[in-house]
Amino acid sequence: MQSQDVPPRHAPSRTHRAGAAPSRTGPVGEEQAAAALVEHYPRLVRLAYLVLPPDLGRSRRVLTAHALAQRAVPRGRRRSSVLPAQRPGRAGPGAGTRRDDDPGYACLREQVLRTALVAARPRTGPFRLAAPPPLLPQVWGLRLFPRSGGADALALDQRLATLSAPARAAYVLRALEQLPDPDVRELLRAAGVSDPGGALASANGVPAHPGLLSSPEFDPCALQARPTDLPRRRRHTKAVLAAAAALAVCGALVALPDGGWGPDGAAAPAGAVNPAATAALDPGRLTRVPPAAWRTSARTDFSVWPARGPLTGDPALLRRALAVWARPGGTVHVSATPGTATGGPAGPPQLLYAGEVDTARVVLLYDGLRVVRYAEPKDGTRGAALDFARVDGATGAGASALVLDRADGNVRYLTAPWVTKAAQRDLTRPESAVKPLPLAGGVTAPLASPAVRSGGCASWGVLQLTDASGTHLATDLGELVPAHLTAGRPGAAGEASDAQGLRAWAPFACSLAAERASGVRSVNAWAYAEQPLPDGSGSGTWVCTRAETWRGAGTAALAQFRTPGGPAGAVVAKGTDVPACGPRDPQVLAGVLWKSAAGSWYLLAAGGEDTASISATGGITASGRGPLLAVRAGQGARADLTGRLTDGRTVTGLR
């Protein structure tokens, strides 16, 4: 929940404060890193200890934290990805240049964070083995653990245990290292976290306790010692001796000529040729769908797209595309939507397009689960690109267009064979005229792409496609498959191309920028409430936009609020991987601090039509019947929202 003035402005851009921008550092030598390790060793071990999962057990968690800190010193020279510049006004331990401006410490912190996140990653598979214990340091016959703390420390440790490892890392960097959110986001991304924004959002659920994190209860360098289980140790010694004897016997059997077991079982030798893999690289065996197959097929997906383009008969181009797909070289730029495998085809794929587009030769291929785009310059093959996108389950409007090329801020699409007309329109202006796009062999004329635009958002161009089933809208979010736009209550949403859908999307179109390059399949806008403003100046509109992804995970729900006369809505709350605003549970609850024209502050909250009552706790205590709540509040106040539905269930507010 955030404050909002009248009229609401665009959601603030995520920029660094003056003097707090991340900066690049030069290479860090081994001696410099070793000196930083000695100086800041307790801090680095504490950081690793807090990020590691508590279910490791306190003794093993302590030893693993020490091992990660000791292995952080780079071999040779290494460049740190992110070093927060000195933040004026910092006080206390680590202020000034003692830690924040030390490139050695920044390098070690990033490496400790990266290895701690890897060690905390959940293991999968039939056995789900935990992370192996560290080789060094080792302690035999003793259990080591930090001093026991009070109830507050225990409660905080239990709350941190419920977070994911990236969320714990975000919480520790924010509370212990006192880094601002932009620096935390950059450091998490450098450490390999795929969704830093989601980690920060999850960390918001745990109140900040920097004093507790610096207390002896979380200090893995101030330890207590206790003996291990002595009877159990004796039993383990006997078991180890028996296992060693059995291993010696098995090793002797394996060494016997003609009687040992091969490491790969019944597999063919490593140099053997797989016939299916060989066939997949033969351009003569590509699947080519007849041009009229889609007219008689019951399916409306990529499997009935015909092969189009003037270069479908160029075997050399097709062979290069297949070979690069199977074995991309070091100079090939490879990209993939999140959750998309980048391996070679299992068999001969389907050819969708081959031709020259702008300054490149482009080939589109489909293997039943993925669409792959190969592009090379017209004057050679250096600088080739290979793009992957998941399309499993795509049908109808979701399989109506693919991106052929982006150049000079524009995008060209290849449309489905059943598309009869294409046009572009400005989603921010529902009454504006539609501009027809000529189709040549299914390829559209170029149109402005919002995915490659930087700076402010004054318009949002979308692709409008017409076929026998109706008119659909799709938007370019920087990937191969444009995202399908819908509007309405989840589970009963319709196309965003009708008048009601266009009016619902217009004030909130620019919020689509937050979903770029996230593997988004579709985005729905649901206008779930109209709330009269307390000062009688009109009614505000509550809209929830939800982005569904091809991989299933990573869905994002944004609660947005717009006051009357405002040009655009503002994002006031967000949820990642939550059921809110989705077809599984079409419920939502969000709130905002709103300032009237007279200067009075109010808490405004709204839920869906099934919300029977709303209550606020924390900085504001209030409750009301029905799906709307409006109460006086102080500037900067924070509140936790809880709603009760008509069926008795409870729903919590997005944050």
Side-chain angles (χ1 to χ4, degrees), residues 296-648:
T296 56
S297 175
R299 305 178 65 168
T300 54
D301 56 19
F302 295 109
S303 68
V304 296
W305 278 34
R308 288 173 286 179
L311 299 181
T312 55
D314 186 341
L317 171 63
L318 300 179
R319 185 179 300 278
R320 289 196 300 273
L322 292 170
V324 172
W325 182 358
R327 304 181 309 276
T331 61
V332 177
H333 176 74
V334 180
S335 68
T337 58
T340 304
T342 58
Q350 176 183 340
L351 177 62
L352 302 181
Y353 182 87
E356 292 187 352
V357 184
D358 295 326
T359 61
R361 289 187 290 265
V362 177
V363 178
L364 287 180
L365 301 164
Y366 171 63
D367 69 352
L369 295 176
R370 301 168 294 173
V371 168
V372 179
R373 175 184 177 271
Y374 169 78
E376 64 181 26
K378 287 183 179 180
D379 56 357
T381 60
R382 186 171 184 82
L386 193 65
D387 303 315
F388 295 83
R390 283 183 63 166
V391 291
D392 44 313
T395 185
S400 291
L402 292 172
V403 170
L404 268 184
D405 184 57
R406 293 187 186 89
D408 301 325
N410 297 321
V411 60
R412 289 181 186 266
Y413 294 96
L414 177 67
T415 61
W418 53 82
V419 171
T420 58
K421 290 191 299 184
Q424 71 176 59
R425 71 179 310 144
D426 185 355
L427 194 60
T428 65
R429 295 175 175 83
E431 307 300 333
S432 62
V434 176
K435 299 179 181 179
L437 287 174
L439 287 174
V443 179
T444 69
L447 65 153
S449 170
V452 296
R453 181 182 59 200
S454 60
C457 177
S459 63
W460 192 274
V462 296
L463 175 67
Q464 179 172 293
L465 300 175
T466 302
D467 56 32
S469 65
T471 303
H472 321 285
L473 295 184
T475 184
D476 181 19
L477 294 180
E479 296 169 327
L480 275 181
V481 187
H484 180 211
L485 300 180
T486 59
R489 182 178 175 84
E495 295 295 334
S497 55
D498 60 23
Q500 183 177 357
L502 292 173
R503 287 194 300 270
W505 263 112
F508 309 99
C510 290
S511 66
L512 288 168
E515 311 303 339
R516 292 172 180 161
S518 300
V520 172
R521 178 176 190 162
S522 62
V523 189
N524 182 62
W526 173 32
Y528 66 90
E530 291 282 337
Q531 184 168 22
L533 299 178
D535 64 351
S537 59
S539 295
T541 303
W542 289 92
V543 168
C544 187
T545 58
R546 180 180 174 90
E548 301 287 352
T549 64
W550 290 100
R551 65 191 184 278
T555 58
L558 301 180
Q560 306 188 54
F561 183 69
R562 180 197 182 207
T563 54
V571 177
V572 299
K574 177 181 179 179
T576 302
D577 288 326
V578 295
C581 307
R584 183 181 296 274
D585 188 17
Q587 305 296 337
V588 62
L589 176 62
V592 64
L593 279 180
W594 174 79
K595 184 180 180 182
S596 69
S600 300
W601 287 90
Y602 294 87
L603 167 65
L604 305 181
E609 59 184 12
D610 296 333
T611 305
S613 64
I614 300 175
S615 61
T617 57
I620 303 172
T621 302
S623 62
R625 299 179 64 84
L628 303 175
L629 178 67
V631 295
R632 291 289 295 268
Q635 180 179 0
R638 301 180 63 88
D640 296 320
L641 298 175
T642 304
R644 183 168 296 277
L645 305 179
T646 54
D647 60 4

Side-chain angles (χ1 to χ4, degrees), residues 70-447:
Q70 293 174 17
R71 292 204 299 264
V73 176
R75 298 180 183 273
R77 302 181 71 83
R78 177 178 298 173
R79 184 181 298 273
S80 176
S81 298
V82 177
L83 173 64
Q86 181 178 350
R87 286 175 288 278
R90 286 279 300 272
T97 60
R98 286 181 296 172
R99 190 179 71 248
D100 288 342
D101 292 331
D102 183 358
Y105 176 77
C107 177
L108 294 175
R109 178 175 61 187
E110 180 181 324
Q111 180 63 15
V112 167
L113 187 63
R114 179 183 293 109
T115 54
L117 289 170
V118 171
R121 188 176 300 158
R123 264 52 181 179
T124 58
F127 303 104
R128 298 189 179 183
L129 295 177
L135 296 178
L136 290 174
Q138 288 285 356
V139 177
W140 295 86
L142 289 175
R143 292 186 296 113
L144 302 177
F145 45 88
R147 300 171 186 173
S148 299
D152 291 341
L154 179 60
L156 178 58
D157 199 37
Q158 292 173 344
R159 290 291 298 273
L160 292 178
T162 63
L163 299 178
S164 64
R168 280 196 303 274
Y171 180 88
V172 173
L173 292 174
R174 179 191 285 163
L176 181 65
E177 294 291 289
Q178 299 181 14
L179 297 180
D181 285 0
D183 287 358
V184 174
R185 188 177 293 106
E186 290 292 326
L187 189 52
L188 290 177
R189 185 176 291 108
V193 176
S194 60
D195 186 11
L200 280 167
S202 300
N204 287 337
V206 180
H209 293 289
L212 279 179
L213 291 184
S214 302
S215 64
E217 290 86 350
F218 296 101
D219 186 0
C221 292
L223 303 172
Q224 301 182 80
R226 294 292 186 273
T228 58
D229 187 341
L230 298 180
R232 183 181 179 186
R233 191 197 308 174
R234 295 189 182 106
R235 291 194 300 269
H236 283 185
T237 301
K238 295 178 181 178
V240 168
L241 293 176
L247 183 62
V249 174
C250 292
L253 292 176
V254 171
L256 292 176
D258 300 326
W261 301 297
D264 297 329
V273 177
N274 186 329
T278 302
L281 301 180
D282 183 0
R285 305 186 68 172
L286 284 170
T287 301
R288 298 170 185 258
V289 176
W294 65 272
R295 298 182 183 276
T296 56
S297 175
R299 305 178 65 168
T300 54
D301 56 19
F302 295 109
S303 68
V304 296
W305 278 34
R308 288 173 286 179
L311 299 181
T312 55
D314 186 341
L317 171 63
L318 300 179
R319 185 179 300 278
R320 289 196 300 273
L322 292 170
V324 172
W325 182 358
R327 304 181 309 276
T331 61
V332 177
H333 176 74
V334 180
S335 68
T337 58
T340 304
T342 58
Q350 176 183 340
L351 177 62
L352 302 181
Y353 182 87
E356 292 187 352
V357 184
D358 295 326
T359 61
R361 289 187 290 265
V362 177
V363 178
L364 287 180
L365 301 164
Y366 171 63
D367 69 352
L369 295 176
R370 301 168 294 173
V371 168
V372 179
R373 175 184 177 271
Y374 169 78
E376 64 181 26
K378 287 183 179 180
D379 56 357
T381 60
R382 186 171 184 82
L386 193 65
D387 303 315
F388 295 83
R390 283 183 63 166
V391 291
D392 44 313
T395 185
S400 291
L402 292 172
V403 170
L404 268 184
D405 184 57
R406 293 187 186 89
D408 301 325
N410 297 321
V411 60
R412 289 181 186 266
Y413 294 96
L414 177 67
T415 61
W418 53 82
V419 171
T420 58
K421 290 191 299 184
Q424 71 176 59
R425 71 179 310 144
D426 185 355
L427 194 60
T428 65
R429 295 175 175 83
E431 307 300 333
S432 62
V434 176
K435 299 179 181 179
L437 287 174
L439 287 174
V443 179
T444 69
L447 65 153

